[in-house]
Amino acid sequence: MRVITQINHEQIAITLFAWNQKYILKYELENLEQTYKIRELDTAGEADVKRIATEEAFLEKVMARFQAMQNDWSEALM
């Protein structure tokens, strides 16, 4: 797996990888992680994946999912 780039964001770590004819887009926040696997044929290329990865509407959904994940974990510990 090859790291293509790390994308700057104030709250989360965003890393774009290339592996096995796929782009792997990884979001990390504290102890949580979200990973998206995108076939190279399903996108216009690396620049397209970077654009989507940083679109505000998509990032809002990523952050909401992190919150839901944290809530699920907190509930499971009770």
Side-chain angles (χ1 to χ4, degrees), residues 5 14 21 40-41:
T5 190
I14 305 171
Q21 289 84 42
E40 287 179 354
L41 296 175

Side-chain angles (χ1 to χ4, degrees), residues 7 14 25 27 48-55 58-59 62:
I7 300 168
I14 305 171
L25 184 56
Y27 294 89
D48 194 36
V49 176
K50 286 181 190 178
R51 178 189 56 76
I52 293 167
T54 57
E55 281 183 346
F58 189 73
L59 284 172
V62 168

Side-chain angles (χ1 to χ4, degrees), residues 12-15 17 24-29 31-37 58-70:
I12 54 180
I14 305 171
T15 309
F17 300 92
I24 299 174
L25 184 56
K26 182 167 78 168
Y27 294 89
E28 297 175 87
L29 178 66
N31 62 332
L32 302 172
E33 179 178 298
Q34 295 178 50
T35 304
Y36 297 84
K37 294 180 181 178
F58 189 73
L59 284 172
E60 286 174 10
K61 292 177 183 180
V62 168
M63 293 303 290
R65 197 164 293 112
F66 274 132
Q67 185 61 52
M69 292 168 71
Q70 184 60 50

Side-chain angles (χ1 to χ4, degrees), residues 8-22:
N8 292 329
H9 188 274
E10 59 194 35
Q11 293 179 296
I12 54 180
I14 305 171
T15 309
L16 179 59
F17 300 92
W19 182 67
N20 216 19
Q21 289 84 42
K22 291 184 182 97

Side-chain angles (χ1 to χ4, degrees), residues 66-78:
F66 274 132
Q67 185 61 52
M69 292 168 71
Q70 184 60 50
N71 292 344
D72 291 345
W73 182 248
S74 295
E75 289 174 16
L77 292 175
M78 292 182 175

